[in-house]
Amino acid sequence: MSVSPAAPAHAAVSASPPTQAELLDFVRSAVADAELIASLPLDPEGRTWVRLDGPGGSEAWLIGWPPGTGTGWHDHADSVGAFMTASGELKENSLAVRLPTDGWTTLELTEGVDRERRLTTGQGRAFGRHHVHEVLNESTDGHAISVHAYYPPLPRIRRYSRTGHTLRLEQVERPEDWQ
């Protein structure tokens, strides 16, 4: 995994916080920047990323996904976000249910809450606060590259394990854990 310093790519100044639609517009614009996408160093074994300046003070990332890698189940706490695949294909598994924000460690999920999306080059989505998902590159032989943006900048990420219908909170990460 490699981290590069923030780059002033695709920054925009806004008087109000960016909306989910504006974050999606930002990732779409970044994905269309072939030079930016080609600048990401790719590692055959671990995800790589470069931080970008997002619109209106948002946090944004250009991420490389080697074959067979993924995030595990997580959410972005109080941040809204958007992401789009720049090359390859990503699979997003998500839960169509609003989880309690705090005060729990184990939840039993009901039938019918699972959602799956396959996002090929140029496809993306926006999401709201407390959106629980995992993102995967299921390819056996090709990298995927994506652009992600969040507002407010990620205050924390909650990581979960999932066994059947049981979702368990495993860890809470703060920015200092990944920057």
Side-chain angles (χ1 to χ4, degrees):
M1 180 168 5
S2 69
V3 178
S4 298
H10 300 283
V13 177
S14 174
S16 61
T19 64
Q20 291 176 41
E22 290 167 333
L23 293 174
L24 188 58
D25 286 344
F26 168 81
V27 298
R28 183 176 294 112
S29 174
V31 161
D33 184 339
E35 186 177 328
L36 174 66
I37 301 308
S39 74
L40 180 67
L42 299 177
D43 182 303
E45 296 180 16
R47 286 190 298 152
T48 55
W49 57 82
V50 173
R51 186 162 182 175
L52 307 174
D53 288 334
S58 64
E59 180 173 343
W61 298 92
L62 174 62
I63 301 176
W65 306 76
T69 58
T71 60
W73 287 95
H74 68 283
D75 73 16
H76 303 282
D78 294 320
S79 297
V80 298
F83 71 100
M84 184 170 286
T85 304
S87 69
E89 178 179 279
L90 292 172
K91 175 183 174 188
E92 180 196 35
N93 294 318
S94 63
L95 300 176
V97 63
R98 176 128 178 145
L99 300 179
T101 57
D102 290 303
W104 66 276
T105 56
T106 302
L107 288 175
E108 290 299 319
L109 302 171
T110 59
E111 292 287 332
V113 299
D114 289 295
R115 299 292 182 267
E116 177 183 310
R117 286 182 176 86
R118 295 211 175 258
L119 302 166
T120 59
T121 300
Q123 294 181 317
R125 68 173 309 233
F127 55 85
R129 291 170 168 72
H130 310 291
H131 175 71
V132 177
H133 68 165
E134 67 175 347
V135 179
L136 309 158
N137 176 6
E138 293 186 321
S139 172
T140 58
D141 60 0
H143 269 79
I145 297 175
S146 58
V147 178
H148 303 245
Y150 312 98
Y151 189 87
L154 298 173
R156 60 187 170 153
I157 293 178
R158 292 181 291 217
R159 299 219 175 258
Y160 305 98
S161 63
R162 171 112 189 247
T163 306
H165 292 291
T166 303
L167 188 69
R168 184 169 284 109
L169 176 64
E170 297 290 345
Q171 180 179 3
V172 177
E173 296 175 0
R174 307 227 179 267
E176 57 270 17
D177 298 327
W178 66 81
Q179 292 181 356

